[in-house]
Amino acid sequence: MKKVLIVDDAAFMRMSIRNMISKHGFEIVGEAENGVVAIEKYKELQPDIVTMDITMPEMDGLEALREIKKVNPAAAVVMISALGQEARMKEAIIYGAKGFIVKPFKEEMLISALSKL
């Protein structure tokens, strides 16, 4: 069972992702509301996969991705962001994201992306 850390500043989005993936054999080991908390939780929980929103307060997802990659260059981070963020998504891939999903997304898209990791 793959352990997942869910990072999004919107509580409803964290809950939505949690509900979608928990019934497909993923274990949610933690949640974070911004990049600063995400890095702390990543170090503490050592998840197999991180779902990372790009636009968040305090520290955005791209900066958090870079920091997590410093901690573990092999970290599996999937970026999740709204339409219109394509340029930032390309940046995320350059920084080492393993994939990206555009909001709004269907459950099948999320499960498919996470199952490849």
Side-chain angles (χ1 to χ4, degrees), residues 1 6-7 18 21 27 34 41 51 70 73 75 81 92 98-100 115:
M1 184 178 288
I6 301 169
V7 185
R18 172 185 284 273
I21 68 176
E27 177 189 357
N34 63 53
K41 296 249 178 154
T51 64
K70 287 179 188 173
S81 195
K98 300 286 187 198
F100 60 89
S115 296

Side-chain angles (χ1 to χ4, degrees), residues 20-74:
M20 285 181 194
I21 68 176
S22 61
K23 61 187 172 190
H24 289 276
F26 294 92
E27 177 189 357
I28 292 81
V29 292
E31 296 181 12
E33 65 277 3
N34 63 53
V36 174
V37 176
I39 295 162
E40 291 170 8
K41 296 249 178 154
Y42 184 84
K43 290 175 182 174
E44 174 192 339
L45 302 168
Q46 300 180 353
D48 300 308
I49 301 170
V50 179
T51 64
M52 179 81 71
D53 187 22
I54 288 184
T55 308
M56 296 182 290
E58 291 191 53
M59 179 189 287
D60 72 13
L62 292 176
E63 194 173 335
L65 168 63
R66 287 196 301 266
E67 293 301 315
I68 286 171
K69 284 297 200 170
K70 287 179 188 173
V71 173
N72 177 8

Side-chain angles (χ1 to χ4, degrees), residues 74-90:
V77 180
V78 175
M79 306 304 288
I80 300 179
S81 195
L83 278 169
Q85 297 280 337
E86 286 81 4
R88 301 195 80 199
M89 288 293 200
K90 288 178 186 161

Side-chain angles (χ1 to χ4, degrees), residues 1-2 4 6 14-29 105-112 114-115:
M1 184 178 288
K2 298 238 179 187
V4 181
I6 301 169
R14 292 194 307 270
M15 185 176 68
S16 178
I17 293 170
R18 172 185 284 273
N19 290 341
M20 285 181 194
I21 68 176
S22 61
K23 61 187 172 190
H24 289 276
F26 294 92
E27 177 189 357
I28 292 81
V29 292
F105 53 84
K106 292 188 169 17
E107 184 173 324
E108 304 82 53
M109 289 172 55
L110 179 61
I111 299 308
S112 173
L114 299 184
S115 296

